Amino acid sequence: QVQLVESGGGLVQPGGSLRLSCVARGSIYSIWTMGWYRQAPGKQRELVASMPSVGTTEYADSVKGRFTISRDNAKNTVYLQMNTLKPEDTAVYYCNAKFSGVTYWGQGTQVTVSS
């Protein structure tokens, strides 16, 4: 059984920063692909950033240059550093872990960018 627990969301002004964290509890290994997705009201869930164990990190065009995904395999934790936040970044952010056809999701953390 795997559980993903996100934290770090909240309310921030435009131009501000937040760092999201996701701790994986259970049998998550460094070979898993870890990622962040988001879903805004009335919109489909979309990929924000994805980091495989080997290979190229992927970012949505809308966050390139502003967001950075990183992982600490020793702590089973993946992070999303979000800088220069915009109102359109407002969404529920979900942590994702996948390997060999198996996918796990966190419960989500709300990020609201507003003045």
Side-chain angles (χ1 to χ4, degrees):
Q1 185 69 22
V2 173
Q3 185 181 21
L4 303 177
V5 181
E6 302 106 330
S7 62
L11 173 64
V12 63
Q13 292 187 343
S17 298
L18 282 175
R19 189 176 82 152
L20 306 182
S21 299
C22 171
V23 178
R25 297 171 179 167
S27 299
I28 292 285
Y29 301 100
S30 60
I31 58 175
W32 288 60
T33 292
M34 303 296 295
W36 289 94
Y37 288 70
R38 67 186 181 186
Q39 187 167 18
K43 294 187 177 181
Q44 289 188 330
R45 192 172 298 188
E46 63 176 359
L47 173 70
V48 176
S50 178
M51 175 175 271
S53 58
V54 176
T56 304
T57 297
E58 182 181 0
Y59 291 96
D61 288 342
S62 59
V63 307
K64 284 180 181 177
R66 300 188 297 122
F67 291 11
T68 303
I69 187 172
S70 61
R71 61 194 291 174
D72 184 337
N73 291 329
K75 296 181 178 180
N76 274 356
T77 301
V78 61
Y79 304 97
L80 184 68
Q81 178 66 45
M82 305 185 294
N83 298 328
T84 319
L85 282 160
K86 304 176 181 181
E88 51 263 43
D89 294 318
T90 296
V92 178
Y93 284 70
Y94 296 91
C95 180
N96 171 276
K98 56 185 177 183
F99 177 72
S100 191
V102 178
T103 301
Y104 293 101
W105 292 95
Q107 82 286 351
T109 185
Q110 176 71 45
V111 172
T112 302
V113 185
S114 175
S115 56

Short mmCIF file of all heavy atoms in Angstrom, two decimals, residues 38-99:
data_model
loop_
_atom_site.label_atom_id
_atom_site.label_comp_id
_atom_site.label_asym_id
_atom_site.label_seq_id
_atom_site.Cartn_x
_atom_site.Cartn_y
_atom_site.Cartn_z
N ARG A 38 -2.10 19.47 -11.63
CA ARG A 38 -3.00 20.43 -11.01
C ARG A 38 -4.33 20.44 -11.72
O ARG A 38 -4.43 20.08 -12.91
CB ARG A 38 -2.39 21.84 -11.00
CG ARG A 38 -2.23 22.48 -12.37
CD ARG A 38 -1.49 23.81 -12.25
NE ARG A 38 -1.33 24.47 -13.55
CZ ARG A 38 -0.62 25.58 -13.74
NH1 ARG A 38 0.02 26.15 -12.70
NH2 ARG A 38 -0.52 26.11 -14.93
N GLN A 39 -5.35 20.85 -10.98
CA GLN A 39 -6.69 20.95 -11.55
C GLN A 39 -7.35 22.21 -11.04
O GLN A 39 -7.56 22.37 -9.83
CB GLN A 39 -7.53 19.72 -11.19
CG GLN A 39 -8.87 19.68 -11.90
CD GLN A 39 -9.54 18.33 -11.79
OE1 GLN A 39 -9.21 17.51 -10.93
NE2 GLN A 39 -10.49 18.07 -12.68
N ALA A 40 -7.66 23.10 -11.96
CA ALA A 40 -8.36 24.33 -11.64
C ALA A 40 -9.87 24.08 -11.79
O ALA A 40 -10.29 23.17 -12.51
CB ALA A 40 -7.91 25.45 -12.57
N PRO A 41 -10.68 24.90 -11.11
CA PRO A 41 -12.14 24.71 -11.21
C PRO A 41 -12.62 24.73 -12.66
O PRO A 41 -12.26 25.63 -13.43
CB PRO A 41 -12.69 25.90 -10.43
CG PRO A 41 -11.62 26.25 -9.46
CD PRO A 41 -10.33 25.99 -10.19
N GLY A 42 -13.40 23.75 -13.03
CA GLY A 42 -13.96 23.69 -14.37
C GLY A 42 -13.00 23.24 -15.45
O GLY A 42 -13.35 23.24 -16.64
N LYS A 43 -11.79 22.84 -15.06
CA LYS A 43 -10.78 22.42 -16.04
C LYS A 43 -10.33 20.99 -15.76
O LYS A 43 -10.50 20.47 -14.66
CB LYS A 43 -9.59 23.37 -16.02
CG LYS A 43 -9.91 24.78 -16.48
CD LYS A 43 -8.66 25.62 -16.61
CE LYS A 43 -8.97 27.01 -17.14
NZ LYS A 43 -7.74 27.84 -17.28
N GLN A 44 -9.71 20.40 -16.77
CA GLN A 44 -9.17 19.05 -16.60
C GLN A 44 -7.84 19.09 -15.83
O GLN A 44 -7.14 20.11 -15.83
CB GLN A 44 -8.94 18.41 -17.98
CG GLN A 44 -10.22 18.05 -18.71
CD GLN A 44 -9.96 17.23 -19.96
OE1 GLN A 44 -8.92 17.38 -20.60
NE2 GLN A 44 -10.89 16.38 -20.32
N ARG A 45 -7.54 17.98 -15.19
CA ARG A 45 -6.27 17.85 -14.50
C ARG A 45 -5.15 17.86 -15.55
O ARG A 45 -5.26 17.19 -16.58
CB ARG A 45 -6.21 16.57 -13.68
CG ARG A 45 -5.05 16.49 -12.73
CD ARG A 45 -5.16 15.27 -11.81
NE ARG A 45 -6.35 15.34 -10.96
CZ ARG A 45 -6.59 14.48 -9.98
NH1 ARG A 45 -5.72 13.49 -9.71
NH2 ARG A 45 -7.68 14.60 -9.26
N GLU A 46 -4.09 18.62 -15.27
CA GLU A 46 -3.01 18.73 -16.23
C GLU A 46 -1.66 18.50 -15.56
O GLU A 46 -1.49 18.77 -14.37
CB GLU A 46 -3.01 20.12 -16.88
CG GLU A 46 -2.78 21.27 -15.92
CD GLU A 46 -2.68 22.63 -16.62
OE1 GLU A 46 -2.77 22.69 -17.85
OE2 GLU A 46 -2.48 23.63 -15.89
N LEU A 47 -0.72 18.03 -16.35
CA LEU A 47 0.64 17.82 -15.87
C LEU A 47 1.31 19.16 -15.62
O LEU A 47 1.25 20.06 -16.45
CB LEU A 47 1.45 17.03 -16.89
CG LEU A 47 2.95 16.87 -16.57
CD1 LEU A 47 3.14 15.95 -15.38
CD2 LEU A 47 3.69 16.34 -17.79
N VAL A 48 1.96 19.29 -14.46
CA VAL A 48 2.76 20.47 -14.16
C VAL A 48 4.24 20.14 -14.38
O VAL A 48 4.95 20.85 -15.09
CB VAL A 48 2.54 20.95 -12.72
CG1 VAL A 48 3.46 22.11 -12.40
CG2 VAL A 48 1.08 21.32 -12.50
N ALA A 49 4.70 19.07 -13.77
CA ALA A 49 6.10 18.67 -13.88
C ALA A 49 6.22 17.19 -13.57
O ALA A 49 5.49 16.67 -12.72
CB ALA A 49 6.99 19.48 -12.95
N SER A 50 7.16 16.54 -14.24
CA SER A 50 7.37 15.11 -14.05
C SER A 50 8.86 14.82 -14.05
O SER A 50 9.59 15.33 -14.91
CB SER A 50 6.68 14.34 -15.17
OG SER A 50 6.90 12.95 -15.05
N MET A 51 9.28 13.98 -13.09
CA MET A 51 10.70 13.67 -12.96
C MET A 51 10.89 12.16 -12.92
O MET A 51 10.59 11.53 -11.90
CB MET A 51 11.29 14.32 -11.71
CG MET A 51 12.73 13.95 -11.44
SD MET A 51 13.44 14.83 -10.04
CE MET A 51 14.06 16.28 -10.87
N PRO A 52 11.38 11.57 -13.99
CA PRO A 52 11.68 10.13 -13.96
C PRO A 52 12.95 9.87 -13.18
O PRO A 52 13.71 10.79 -12.89
CB PRO A 52 11.85 9.79 -15.45
CG PRO A 52 12.35 11.05 -16.05
CD PRO A 52 11.71 12.16 -15.28
N SER A 53 13.18 8.59 -12.86
CA SER A 53 14.42 8.25 -12.16
C SER A 53 15.63 8.46 -13.07
O SER A 53 16.70 8.88 -12.62
CB SER A 53 14.38 6.80 -11.69
OG SER A 53 14.18 5.93 -12.80
N VAL A 54 15.42 8.20 -14.36
CA VAL A 54 16.46 8.44 -15.37
C VAL A 54 15.80 9.12 -16.55
O VAL A 54 14.73 8.72 -16.98
CB VAL A 54 17.10 7.12 -15.83
CG1 VAL A 54 18.12 7.38 -16.94
CG2 VAL A 54 17.75 6.41 -14.67
N GLY A 55 16.43 10.15 -17.07
CA GLY A 55 15.86 10.82 -18.22
C GLY A 55 15.56 12.28 -17.96
O GLY A 55 16.01 12.85 -16.97
N THR A 56 14.79 12.83 -18.86
CA THR A 56 14.56 14.27 -18.87
C THR A 56 13.35 14.66 -18.02
O THR A 56 12.28 14.05 -18.14
CB THR A 56 14.34 14.77 -20.30
OG1 THR A 56 15.48 14.38 -21.10
CG2 THR A 56 14.21 16.28 -20.33
N THR A 57 13.53 15.66 -17.21
CA THR A 57 12.42 16.23 -16.47
C THR A 57 11.53 17.01 -17.43
O THR A 57 12.02 17.71 -18.31
CB THR A 57 12.94 17.15 -15.36
OG1 THR A 57 13.71 16.36 -14.44
CG2 THR A 57 11.79 17.78 -14.60
N GLU A 58 10.23 16.87 -17.25
CA GLU A 58 9.26 17.51 -18.15
C GLU A 58 8.48 18.58 -17.39
O GLU A 58 8.09 18.36 -16.24
CB GLU A 58 8.31 16.45 -18.69
CG GLU A 58 7.27 16.97 -19.66
CD GLU A 58 6.33 15.87 -20.14
OE1 GLU A 58 6.48 14.70 -19.70
OE2 GLU A 58 5.43 16.16 -20.95
N TYR A 59 8.25 19.71 -18.04
CA TYR A 59 7.46 20.79 -17.46
C TYR A 59 6.38 21.22 -18.45
O TYR A 59 6.60 21.22 -19.66
CB TYR A 59 8.32 22.01 -17.15
CG TYR A 59 9.31 21.82 -16.01
CD1 TYR A 59 10.63 21.46 -16.27
CD2 TYR A 59 8.92 22.02 -14.69
CE1 TYR A 59 11.53 21.29 -15.24
CE2 TYR A 59 9.81 21.85 -13.65
CZ TYR A 59 11.12 21.49 -13.93
OH TYR A 59 12.01 21.32 -12.90
N ALA A 60 5.25 21.64 -17.91
CA ALA A 60 4.25 22.29 -18.74
C ALA A 60 4.81 23.62 -19.24
O ALA A 60 5.56 24.30 -18.52
CB ALA A 60 2.97 22.54 -17.94
N ASP A 61 4.47 23.99 -20.45
CA ASP A 61 4.99 25.25 -21.02
C ASP A 61 4.66 26.44 -20.13
O ASP A 61 5.45 27.38 -20.02
CB ASP A 61 4.41 25.47 -22.41
CG ASP A 61 5.01 24.52 -23.44
OD1 ASP A 61 6.08 23.93 -23.17
OD2 ASP A 61 4.40 24.36 -24.52
N SER A 62 3.51 26.40 -19.49
CA SER A 62 3.04 27.53 -18.71
C SER A 62 3.86 27.76 -17.44
O SER A 62 3.77 28.83 -16.83
CB SER A 62 1.56 27.35 -18.33
OG SER A 62 1.39 26.16 -17.60
N VAL A 63 4.65 26.77 -17.02
CA VAL A 63 5.41 26.91 -15.77
C VAL A 63 6.92 26.89 -15.99
O VAL A 63 7.69 27.08 -15.04
CB VAL A 63 5.03 25.83 -14.74
CG1 VAL A 63 3.51 25.80 -14.53
CG2 VAL A 63 5.55 24.46 -15.13
N LYS A 64 7.35 26.66 -17.21
CA LYS A 64 8.79 26.61 -17.49
C LYS A 64 9.47 27.92 -17.09
O LYS A 64 8.98 29.00 -17.38
CB LYS A 64 9.03 26.35 -18.99
CG LYS A 64 8.80 24.92 -19.40
CD LYS A 64 9.06 24.72 -20.88
CE LYS A 64 8.81 23.27 -21.28
NZ LYS A 64 8.98 23.07 -22.75
N GLY A 65 10.59 27.78 -16.39
CA GLY A 65 11.33 28.94 -15.93
C GLY A 65 10.84 29.49 -14.60
O GLY A 65 11.51 30.34 -14.00
N ARG A 66 9.69 29.01 -14.13
CA ARG A 66 9.14 29.49 -12.85
C ARG A 66 9.08 28.38 -11.80
O ARG A 66 9.27 28.66 -10.61
CB ARG A 66 7.75 30.07 -13.06
CG ARG A 66 7.69 31.24 -14.02
CD ARG A 66 6.30 31.89 -14.03
NE ARG A 66 5.26 30.98 -14.49
CZ ARG A 66 4.19 30.65 -13.76
NH1 ARG A 66 4.02 31.15 -12.55
NH2 ARG A 66 3.26 29.83 -14.24
N PHE A 67 8.79 27.18 -12.23
CA PHE A 67 8.64 26.04 -11.30
C PHE A 67 9.82 25.09 -11.45
O PHE A 67 10.35 24.91 -12.56
CB PHE A 67 7.36 25.27 -11.59
CG PHE A 67 6.09 25.98 -11.27
CD1 PHE A 67 6.05 27.34 -10.95
CD2 PHE A 67 4.89 25.29 -11.28
CE1 PHE A 67 4.86 27.98 -10.66
CE2 PHE A 67 3.68 25.91 -10.97
CZ PHE A 67 3.67 27.27 -10.68
N THR A 68 10.20 24.46 -10.35
CA THR A 68 11.27 23.46 -10.37
C THR A 68 10.86 22.25 -9.55
O THR A 68 10.49 22.39 -8.37
CB THR A 68 12.57 24.03 -9.80
OG1 THR A 68 12.95 25.20 -10.54
CG2 THR A 68 13.69 23.00 -9.90
N ILE A 69 10.92 21.08 -10.16
CA ILE A 69 10.65 19.83 -9.45
C ILE A 69 11.96 19.22 -9.01
O ILE A 69 12.98 19.30 -9.74
CB ILE A 69 9.84 18.85 -10.34
CG1 ILE A 69 9.40 17.63 -9.53
CG2 ILE A 69 10.63 18.46 -11.58
CD1 ILE A 69 8.45 16.70 -10.28
N SER A 70 11.96 18.64 -7.82
CA SER A 70 13.16 17.94 -7.33
C SER A 70 12.71 16.79 -6.45
O SER A 70 11.54 16.74 -6.03
CB SER A 70 14.07 18.90 -6.56
OG SER A 70 13.41 19.44 -5.44
N ARG A 71 13.62 15.87 -6.17
CA ARG A 71 13.27 14.73 -5.34
C ARG A 71 14.44 14.36 -4.44
O ARG A 71 15.61 14.54 -4.81
CB ARG A 71 12.82 13.54 -6.20
CG ARG A 71 13.86 13.02 -7.15
CD ARG A 71 13.26 12.09 -8.21
NE ARG A 71 12.79 10.83 -7.65
CZ ARG A 71 12.13 9.90 -8.35
NH1 ARG A 71 11.84 10.13 -9.63
NH2 ARG A 71 11.74 8.78 -7.79
N ASP A 72 14.09 13.84 -3.28
CA ASP A 72 15.07 13.32 -2.34
C ASP A 72 14.70 11.85 -2.12
O ASP A 72 13.79 11.56 -1.33
CB ASP A 72 15.04 14.12 -1.03
CG ASP A 72 16.11 13.68 -0.05
OD1 ASP A 72 16.59 12.53 -0.15
OD2 ASP A 72 16.45 14.48 0.84
N ASN A 73 15.37 10.96 -2.82
CA ASN A 73 15.00 9.55 -2.76
C ASN A 73 15.22 8.95 -1.37
O ASN A 73 14.50 8.04 -0.96
CB ASN A 73 15.78 8.76 -3.80
CG ASN A 73 15.35 9.08 -5.21
OD1 ASN A 73 14.19 9.41 -5.46
ND2 ASN A 73 16.27 9.01 -6.15
N ALA A 74 16.19 9.46 -0.65
CA ALA A 74 16.45 8.95 0.69
C ALA A 74 15.27 9.25 1.62
O ALA A 74 15.04 8.50 2.58
CB ALA A 74 17.73 9.57 1.25
N LYS A 75 14.56 10.33 1.33
CA LYS A 75 13.42 10.71 2.16
C LYS A 75 12.09 10.37 1.51
O LYS A 75 11.03 10.72 2.04
CB LYS A 75 13.47 12.22 2.45
CG LYS A 75 14.67 12.66 3.27
CD LYS A 75 14.62 14.16 3.53
CE LYS A 75 15.80 14.61 4.38
NZ LYS A 75 15.77 16.07 4.64
N ASN A 76 12.12 9.73 0.33
CA ASN A 76 10.89 9.42 -0.40
C ASN A 76 10.03 10.66 -0.58
O ASN A 76 8.80 10.61 -0.41
CB ASN A 76 10.09 8.32 0.31
CG ASN A 76 10.52 6.93 -0.09
OD1 ASN A 76 11.38 6.76 -0.95
ND2 ASN A 76 9.95 5.94 0.53
N THR A 77 10.66 11.76 -0.92
CA THR A 77 9.96 13.04 -0.99
C THR A 77 10.24 13.71 -2.34
O THR A 77 11.37 13.68 -2.83
CB THR A 77 10.40 13.97 0.14
OG1 THR A 77 10.13 13.33 1.40
CG2 THR A 77 9.65 15.29 0.09
N VAL A 78 9.20 14.29 -2.90
CA VAL A 78 9.33 15.09 -4.11
C VAL A 78 8.82 16.51 -3.80
O VAL A 78 7.88 16.68 -3.02
CB VAL A 78 8.56 14.46 -5.30
CG1 VAL A 78 7.07 14.36 -5.01
CG2 VAL A 78 8.82 15.21 -6.59
N TYR A 79 9.48 17.48 -4.38
CA TYR A 79 9.17 18.88 -4.10
C TYR A 79 8.77 19.60 -5.40
O TYR A 79 9.16 19.20 -6.50
CB TYR A 79 10.39 19.59 -3.51
CG TYR A 79 10.94 18.95 -2.27
CD1 TYR A 79 12.02 18.06 -2.35
CD2 TYR A 79 10.40 19.21 -1.02
CE1 TYR A 79 12.54 17.46 -1.21
CE2 TYR A 79 10.92 18.63 0.12
CZ TYR A 79 11.99 17.75 0.02
OH TYR A 79 12.49 17.16 1.15
N LEU A 80 8.04 20.67 -5.23
CA LEU A 80 7.75 21.57 -6.35
C LEU A 80 7.95 22.99 -5.85
O LEU A 80 7.16 23.49 -5.05
CB LEU A 80 6.32 21.38 -6.88
CG LEU A 80 5.99 22.22 -8.12
CD1 LEU A 80 6.80 21.70 -9.32
CD2 LEU A 80 4.50 22.18 -8.43
N GLN A 81 9.04 23.61 -6.28
CA GLN A 81 9.30 25.00 -5.96
C GLN A 81 8.61 25.87 -7.00
O GLN A 81 8.89 25.73 -8.20
CB GLN A 81 10.81 25.28 -5.95
CG GLN A 81 11.17 26.72 -5.66
CD GLN A 81 10.80 27.15 -4.26
OE1 GLN A 81 11.03 26.44 -3.29
NE2 GLN A 81 10.21 28.34 -4.14
N MET A 82 7.73 26.73 -6.54
CA MET A 82 6.95 27.57 -7.45
C MET A 82 7.29 29.03 -7.19
O MET A 82 7.05 29.54 -6.09
CB MET A 82 5.45 27.32 -7.24
CG MET A 82 5.05 25.86 -7.37
SD MET A 82 3.27 25.60 -7.26
CE MET A 82 2.98 26.07 -5.57
N ASN A 83 7.85 29.69 -8.18
CA ASN A 83 8.22 31.09 -8.08
C ASN A 83 7.41 31.93 -9.06
O ASN A 83 6.84 31.40 -10.02
CB ASN A 83 9.71 31.26 -8.36
CG ASN A 83 10.59 30.53 -7.36
OD1 ASN A 83 10.25 30.39 -6.19
ND2 ASN A 83 11.73 30.05 -7.82
N THR A 84 7.39 33.21 -8.83
CA THR A 84 6.68 34.16 -9.70
C THR A 84 5.28 33.66 -9.99
O THR A 84 4.84 33.55 -11.15
CB THR A 84 7.48 34.37 -11.01
OG1 THR A 84 8.87 34.47 -10.75
CG2 THR A 84 7.02 35.68 -11.69
N LEU A 85 4.56 33.34 -8.95
CA LEU A 85 3.23 32.76 -9.11
C LEU A 85 2.26 33.76 -9.71
O LEU A 85 2.34 34.98 -9.46
CB LEU A 85 2.71 32.26 -7.77
CG LEU A 85 3.32 30.91 -7.34
CD1 LEU A 85 3.16 30.70 -5.85
CD2 LEU A 85 2.67 29.77 -8.11
N LYS A 86 1.34 33.23 -10.51
CA LYS A 86 0.33 34.03 -11.20
C LYS A 86 -1.06 33.57 -10.78
O LYS A 86 -1.24 32.41 -10.37
CB LYS A 86 0.48 33.85 -12.72
CG LYS A 86 1.85 34.17 -13.26
CD LYS A 86 1.93 33.87 -14.75
CE LYS A 86 3.31 34.15 -15.30
NZ LYS A 86 3.39 33.87 -16.76
N PRO A 87 -2.06 34.43 -10.90
CA PRO A 87 -3.43 34.01 -10.56
C PRO A 87 -3.86 32.74 -11.31
O PRO A 87 -4.59 31.91 -10.75
CB PRO A 87 -4.27 35.22 -10.96
CG PRO A 87 -3.34 36.38 -10.78
CD PRO A 87 -2.00 35.87 -11.22
N GLU A 88 -3.39 32.57 -12.52
CA GLU A 88 -3.77 31.39 -13.30
C GLU A 88 -3.10 30.11 -12.80
O GLU A 88 -3.42 29.02 -13.29
CB GLU A 88 -3.46 31.58 -14.79
CG GLU A 88 -2.05 32.04 -15.08
CD GLU A 88 -1.96 33.56 -15.28
OE1 GLU A 88 -2.60 34.30 -14.50
OE2 GLU A 88 -1.24 33.98 -16.21
N ASP A 89 -2.21 30.22 -11.82
CA ASP A 89 -1.64 29.02 -11.19
C ASP A 89 -2.55 28.48 -10.09
O ASP A 89 -2.28 27.41 -9.53
CB ASP A 89 -0.27 29.33 -10.59
CG ASP A 89 0.77 29.68 -11.64
OD1 ASP A 89 0.81 29.00 -12.69
OD2 ASP A 89 1.55 30.63 -11.40
N THR A 90 -3.61 29.20 -9.78
CA THR A 90 -4.56 28.76 -8.76
C THR A 90 -5.19 27.43 -9.15
O THR A 90 -5.75 27.29 -10.24
CB THR A 90 -5.65 29.81 -8.55
OG1 THR A 90 -5.05 31.01 -8.03
CG2 THR A 90 -6.72 29.32 -7.59
N ALA A 91 -5.06 26.44 -8.27
CA ALA A 91 -5.57 25.10 -8.55
C ALA A 91 -5.31 24.21 -7.34
O ALA A 91 -4.60 24.60 -6.40
CB ALA A 91 -4.86 24.50 -9.78
N VAL A 92 -5.89 23.02 -7.39
CA VAL A 92 -5.50 21.97 -6.45
C VAL A 92 -4.33 21.21 -7.10
O VAL A 92 -4.44 20.78 -8.25
CB VAL A 92 -6.67 21.01 -6.15
CG1 VAL A 92 -6.20 19.89 -5.22
CG2 VAL A 92 -7.83 21.77 -5.54
N TYR A 93 -3.27 21.08 -6.36
CA TYR A 93 -2.07 20.42 -6.87
C TYR A 93 -1.99 19.00 -6.29
O TYR A 93 -2.11 18.82 -5.07
CB TYR A 93 -0.82 21.22 -6.50
CG TYR A 93 -0.66 22.45 -7.36
CD1 TYR A 93 -1.53 23.53 -7.24
CD2 TYR A 93 0.35 22.52 -8.32
CE1 TYR A 93 -1.40 24.65 -8.06
CE2 TYR A 93 0.50 23.64 -9.13
CZ TYR A 93 -0.37 24.69 -8.99
OH TYR A 93 -0.25 25.80 -9.82
N TYR A 94 -1.76 18.05 -7.17
CA TYR A 94 -1.73 16.64 -6.79
C TYR A 94 -0.35 16.03 -7.06
O TYR A 94 0.23 16.23 -8.13
CB TYR A 94 -2.75 15.84 -7.60
CG TYR A 94 -4.18 16.23 -7.36
CD1 TYR A 94 -4.81 17.20 -8.13
CD2 TYR A 94 -4.93 15.62 -6.35
CE1 TYR A 94 -6.13 17.56 -7.92
CE2 TYR A 94 -6.25 15.96 -6.13
CZ TYR A 94 -6.83 16.93 -6.91
OH TYR A 94 -8.16 17.29 -6.69
N CYS A 95 0.12 15.28 -6.10
CA CYS A 95 1.34 14.51 -6.27
C CYS A 95 0.99 13.19 -6.96
O CYS A 95 -0.08 12.62 -6.74
CB CYS A 95 1.96 14.24 -4.90
SG CYS A 95 3.48 13.29 -4.90
N ASN A 96 1.91 12.71 -7.78
CA ASN A 96 1.67 11.50 -8.57
C ASN A 96 2.93 10.64 -8.57
O ASN A 96 4.04 11.16 -8.68
CB ASN A 96 1.29 11.91 -9.99
CG ASN A 96 1.23 10.75 -10.96
OD1 ASN A 96 2.24 10.32 -11.52
ND2 ASN A 96 0.03 10.25 -11.18
N ALA A 97 2.73 9.33 -8.43
CA ALA A 97 3.85 8.38 -8.52
C ALA A 97 3.43 7.25 -9.43
O ALA A 97 2.32 6.72 -9.30
CB ALA A 97 4.20 7.85 -7.14
N LYS A 98 4.30 6.88 -10.36
CA LYS A 98 3.92 5.81 -11.27
C LYS A 98 5.12 4.98 -11.69
O LYS A 98 6.25 5.46 -11.79
CB LYS A 98 3.20 6.36 -12.50
CG LYS A 98 3.97 7.41 -13.27
CD LYS A 98 3.08 7.95 -14.41
CE LYS A 98 3.79 9.05 -15.17
NZ LYS A 98 2.92 9.63 -16.22
N PHE A 99 4.84 3.70 -11.94
CA PHE A 99 5.85 2.77 -12.42
C PHE A 99 5.18 1.54 -12.97
O PHE A 99 4.29 0.97 -12.33
CB PHE A 99 6.81 2.37 -11.29
CG PHE A 99 7.83 1.35 -11.71
CD1 PHE A 99 8.87 1.70 -12.55
CD2 PHE A 99 7.73 0.03 -11.30
CE1 PHE A 99 9.80 0.77 -12.96
CE2 PHE A 99 8.66 -0.91 -11.70
CZ PHE A 99 9.69 -0.53 -12.54
#
